[in-house]
Every structure is written in C-alpha cells, then in structure tokens.
Amino acid sequence: MANQRRRTSLKDLAKELGVSIATVSRALRSSPEIGLEMQAKVKELAKRLNYRPNPFAQSLRKEAPRVIGVVVPNLVTHYYSAVLDGIEEEARKAGYSIISANTHENSEAEVKAIDNFISLHVEGIIACLAQDTTDYSHFEEISNMGIPLVFFGRTCLSEKFSCVMANGDVAAQEATQHLIDTGSRRIAFIGGPNHLDMVKRRKHGYLEALKENRIPIERELVVCEKIDYEWALEAATKLLEMENPPDAILAFNDIITFAAFTAIKQKGLEIPGDVALIGFTDDVHAKYVTPKMSAIEDQSYEMGVQSCQLLLKNINGDSKIYKKIVPQKVVIRETSAKK
C-alpha cells in the first residue's frame, strides 16, 4: 500500500531536516556538540513523526537480533503455553527469537504490550485478544505502520490481518449432537463474552445442533459473560439450582469446563447420570479427573506453528491475507454419555 505508514527512522528525520544522521542521533541524545535550537527541532520532529529508537540496534553495532513478539491472554493455561511452544519452534527454525507478553485477559495490558513491541522494533507480532478488548485502535495502528501481525484463536479486523482459528462451530455442533444422541435434552451452554468471535462460533454450533434436532432453544440455558473460574462456578451452580435444571452442559473452555465439573460435584450430582458434561479443553487435564472428561481438544501446538508460518510469510513480503483453520477433535470419554 503506497500510503501505508511505517516506522520512522533516523534517516527519515535527517532527510526531513536536511542534516546528517549523526547530527540527528546526537541531538536526540542532547549531545553538547549540537546546538539547543537544532536539538529542539530534531526532538519536535521525532515526536511528530512518532519516532521510536531501536534499543536492539543501538546495543548491537553489526546486526539487530530478529525478534517476534507474542501476545497471549493467559500464559499459565496449557492451551496458550502449547501455542507458544509451536510458535517458538517454528521461529527458531527461521532464526528468530520470541518475546512473549501475558495480558492476564486485560485490554489495557494488551495495549501496553503492543506499544512495547513497537518500541522494541520487533519484526512481527502474533496475538490473541484479551477477553475484554472491544477497541481495536492499537491494532489499527499496527496495520497503518505496516508491522506484520497475525491473530490466533480470538481474532479481529479480518480484512487487515491473517488469522489462524479452530473450527469451534463445527466441533461444538458435533459435541452437542453427541449429547443429544446419548440421552440429553436440556443442554446448557456456558461461554465467555459475547463479543468474542470464538464465543460466537462455538455458541453458533451449539444452537445449530439444537435446531437440527428440533429442540427448543431456551435463553436461560445460554449463559455467556466472562472467562473466569469463580464466575463460571457461580453460573453453573445457578443453572443446576433452576426449577427445571439442565441435564447436560457444554462449556466454552478449560476454565469454564472445570468450574462446571466442580459445581456438579458440589451439588452432589452424578456425572453423567444427572448432568452430562463436555467442554473445550486439553487432554492433559481431561484424562486425569474422575470420571474422565469428554473434551473438544485443540491442536494448540499446530495452531502456534501455523501462526508463525503466516507471520514469516508476511515478514518476507507476502501481503496476502490468509485465514487458516486448525480442526478440533471431539474425544468421548466418561462424562458425556447418559446411555
């Protein structure tokens, strides 16, 4: 794009002012070799053009390291750590290092992480949205600056950035159909914030399965607000305390899945006899609870690999916008079949 902004360099500042790069560099460092008037001019222009010094280039004379920034909402979960493993392995093969930032599901921390990566002059960014991010202006800035960026999992601005996603709608529909086929009829869905595309896709698959089986959609059985264990535990408990409670729960992710699992146990109910349960989680945890958890499993490592591959394409000059789907797998164990 001819009108696309890019990061301002010392060379750009020098050309604009008609002075040498060395003069600009000294002026920015307030060197006594440069007059106060010229220092002021250089600093004013640097501020106006949003110039950011490259600390890597400053510290290494010959060549700056090749670095990719990765933004994740919750690094302590197996899903995000596995995605990061995939990114790191693929980046390493291409000669890149990784810097990761954990937003703790906070949009302000996400904005700060992106700003830090811009200041560090990373060559590209891979990101997954924090659950409360609804303003995407910091990503618009990335697009305007021409910095390569790829989203994974939770995405936005699909017309501007490549993304790697799971087929959550298909998997949710298959999981809900399994619950119906094995005897469940009042199936609840506990999800995260409704504005997240990932929540929309998974909820859509759940609703499609109900429609196809002519099972009435009951609003009170669809609870979507946030990704938080305590909130999900309370939401699941309230569902189970209804006059006509659900006989099955489809849970949005591992945090919500295990909150629902705990709520059912705390109410003294049997899984799956009283309440069947299946959730989007990983096999690391699903295998080691009693009863063993039926789960919709991500190929999270592969998602990291493909995200990094797309970013490297972008870094190497491929401006095409890609949309990659990494399929999920419904694994049936003991928590879901009533029959």
Side-chain angles (χ1 to χ4, degrees), residues 79-80 83 126-129 150-159 161-171 195-202 280 296-308 310 321-329:
Y79 170 77
Y80 291 113
V83 171
I126 299 172
C128 180
L129 294 175
V150 171
F151 284 109
F152 74 90
R154 309 173 195 167
T155 70
C156 67
L157 303 176
S158 58
E159 74 284 1
F161 298 109
S162 295
C163 64
V164 179
M165 304 182 300
N167 61 338
D169 52 345
V170 175
H195 67 268
L196 287 178
D197 59 331
M198 182 187 284
V199 175
K200 291 177 183 177
R201 289 193 299 271
R202 294 178 182 185
F280 287 80
I296 304 158
E297 296 177 359
D298 280 292
Q299 295 187 66
S300 43
Y301 180 88
E302 180 62 22
M303 187 166 283
V305 168
Q306 293 205 23
S307 297
C308 193
L310 289 187
I321 295 173
Y322 294 89
K323 181 178 178 180
K324 295 282 189 179
I325 303 295
V326 179
Q328 294 173 305
K329 182 170 64 171

Side-chain angles (χ1 to χ4, degrees), residues 227-248:
I227 303 166
D228 175 79
Y229 182 85
E230 294 302 328
W231 170 83
L233 182 62
E234 183 179 349
T237 301
K238 286 181 178 178
L239 284 169
L240 297 171
E241 291 175 347
M242 292 171 59
E243 184 176 340
N244 188 11
D247 61 0

Side-chain angles (χ1 to χ4, degrees), residues 28-328:
L28 289 172
R29 289 185 280 110
S30 302
S31 169
E33 299 173 50
I34 306 299
L36 293 177
E37 183 180 352
M38 177 56 70
Q39 287 186 34
K41 281 184 180 180
V42 171
K43 289 174 182 177
E44 189 279 328
L45 181 64
K47 183 176 181 181
R48 180 158 56 85
L49 297 184
N50 196 25
Y51 168 74
R52 300 174 187 236
N54 184 341
F56 291 136
Q58 289 171 346
S59 63
L60 297 175
R61 296 289 183 190
K62 293 184 178 179
E63 184 179 354
R66 308 176 77 186
V67 178
I68 291 169
V70 183
V71 183
V72 297
N74 189 349
L75 192 52
V76 300
T77 66
H78 181 269
Y79 170 77
Y80 291 113
S81 61
V83 171
L84 191 60
D85 278 348
I87 293 171
E88 285 182 327
E89 178 62 19
E90 200 65 20
R92 183 190 60 77
K93 292 177 187 175
Y96 283 83
S97 298
I98 296 296
I99 300 176
S100 62
N102 186 355
T103 67
H104 302 282
E105 297 284 11
N106 180 274
S107 59
E108 291 182 9
E110 178 181 279
V111 171
K112 181 64 175 174
I114 293 295
D115 192 59
N116 286 341
F117 284 158
I118 294 172
S119 295
L120 289 170
H121 287 242
V122 298
E123 291 196 34
I125 297 171
I126 299 172
C128 180
L129 294 175
Q131 64 172 303
D132 64 348
T133 298
T134 54
D135 177 358
Y136 307 129
S137 56
H138 50 305
F139 294 115
E140 293 275 8
E141 181 184 8
I142 290 288
S143 175
N144 292 336
M145 294 180 76
I147 300 171
L149 183 144
V150 171
F151 284 109
F152 74 90
R154 309 173 195 167
T155 70
C156 67
L157 303 176
S158 58
E159 74 284 1
K160 294 180 181 292
F161 298 109
S162 295
C163 64
V164 179
M165 304 182 300
N167 61 338
D169 52 345
V170 175
Q173 185 167 353
E174 182 182 340
T176 306
Q177 185 64 52
H178 161 71
L179 290 169
I180 294 167
D181 290 343
T182 54
S184 298
R185 287 297 176 269
R186 286 181 55 76
I187 304 168
F189 177 80
I190 307 179
N194 277 308
H195 67 268
L196 287 178
D197 59 331
M198 182 187 284
V199 175
K200 291 177 183 177
R201 289 193 299 271
R202 294 178 182 185
K203 182 166 65 174
H204 176 75
Y206 155 79
L207 294 173
E208 284 299 302
L210 296 184
K211 288 176 187 175
E212 285 195 3
N213 289 273
R214 293 183 171 81
I215 295 175
I217 295 169
E218 301 180 55
R219 289 181 181 272
E220 64 268 25
L221 295 181
V222 183
V223 187
C224 295
E225 186 174 323
K226 60 183 175 179
I227 303 166
D228 175 79
Y229 182 85
E230 294 302 328
W231 170 83
L233 182 62
E234 183 179 349
T237 301
K238 286 181 178 178
L239 284 169
L240 297 171
E241 291 175 347
M242 292 171 59
E243 184 176 340
N244 188 11
D247 61 0
I249 294 174
L250 175 65
F252 168 73
N253 73 347
D254 50 357
I255 292 171
I256 293 174
T257 298
F258 287 100
F261 184 91
T262 300
I264 297 168
K265 290 284 191 179
Q266 286 180 348
K267 298 300 290 184
L269 299 170
E270 293 294 323
I271 304 174
D274 296 317
V275 186
L277 177 63
I278 186 167
F280 287 80
T281 184
D282 60 83
D283 63 350
V284 172
H285 299 103
K287 289 177 182 175
Y288 302 119
V289 293
T290 303
K292 292 182 176 63
M293 183 77 68
S294 292
I296 304 158
E297 296 177 359
D298 280 292
Q299 295 187 66
S300 43
Y301 180 88
E302 180 62 22
M303 187 166 283
V305 168
Q306 293 205 23
S307 297
C308 193
Q309 288 175 348
L310 289 187
L311 185 70
L312 292 171
K313 280 186 176 184
N314 205 178
I315 289 172
N316 291 324
D318 186 347
S319 60
K320 182 179 175 182
I321 295 173
Y322 294 89
K323 181 178 178 180
K324 295 282 189 179
I325 303 295
V326 179
Q328 294 173 305

